[in-house]
């Protein structure tokens, strides 16, 4: 398992931007697919974005496609989620996750999770 710590959440107005970071521990970080999930109050946790271990493959939920960008810097053991054109519907707790697979998008394939960082988008 890899330990993950998210940061960068906060309050932003609609149309604004935020950049979330996820710092990972462990020597094997570069071999993990990484993903971002989010959970709004009263709703199920949902997939947001994922990136393969070598950054070649990325995948986004339709709801964020064109607005969010996932990236990673394996040398820094960090994955990022750049969020632009934020909407009130993006308000949620955002979680970083690591998979033992080289690429993954299903929640069940992610075995390590961070504690989450809250994002609030005001209208």
């Amino acid at each position: 398992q890899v330990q993950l710590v998210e940061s960068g959440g906060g309050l932003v107005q609609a149309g604004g931007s935020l950049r979330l970071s996820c710092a990972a521990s462990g020597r094997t970080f570069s071999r993990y697919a990484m993903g971002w999930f989010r959970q709004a109050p009263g709703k199920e946790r949902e997939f947001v974005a994922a990136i393969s271990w070598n950054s070649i493959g990325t995948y986004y939920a339709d709801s964020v496609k064109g607005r969010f960008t996932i990236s990673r810097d394996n040398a820094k053991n960090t994955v990022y989620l750049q969020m632009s054109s934020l909407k009130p519907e993006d308000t949620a707790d955002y979680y970083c996750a690591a998979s033992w697979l080289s690429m993954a998008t299903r929640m069940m394939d992610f075995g390590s999770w961070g504690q989450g960082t809250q994002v609030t988008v005001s209208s």
Side-chain angles (χ1 to χ4, degrees), residues 25-110:
S25 63
R27 294 177 288 107
T28 61
F29 171 79
S30 62
R31 296 295 184 179
Y32 284 74
M34 300 295 298
W36 287 95
F37 294 78
R38 67 186 183 186
Q39 186 168 21
K43 296 185 177 181
E44 300 285 329
R45 186 171 298 186
E46 65 177 352
F47 170 79
V48 176
I51 186 168
S52 63
W53 74 273
N54 56 10
S55 298
I56 293 178
T58 58
Y59 194 82
Y60 299 90
D62 289 341
S63 59
V64 306
K65 192 173 299 182
R67 300 187 298 119
F68 291 11
T69 301
I70 187 171
S71 62
R72 68 192 296 165
D73 187 338
N74 289 346
K76 296 181 178 180
N77 291 338
T78 303
V79 62
Y80 306 95
L81 185 67
Q82 178 66 50
M83 305 184 294
S84 300
S85 300
L86 284 164
K87 305 175 181 179
E89 305 91 88
D90 296 319
T91 296
D93 290 331
Y94 283 72
Y95 298 88
C96 177
S99 174
W100 54 89
L101 303 175
S102 59
M103 181 59 183
T105 59
R106 300 184 306 169
M107 187 167 60
M108 65 180 298
D109 288 332
F110 290 84

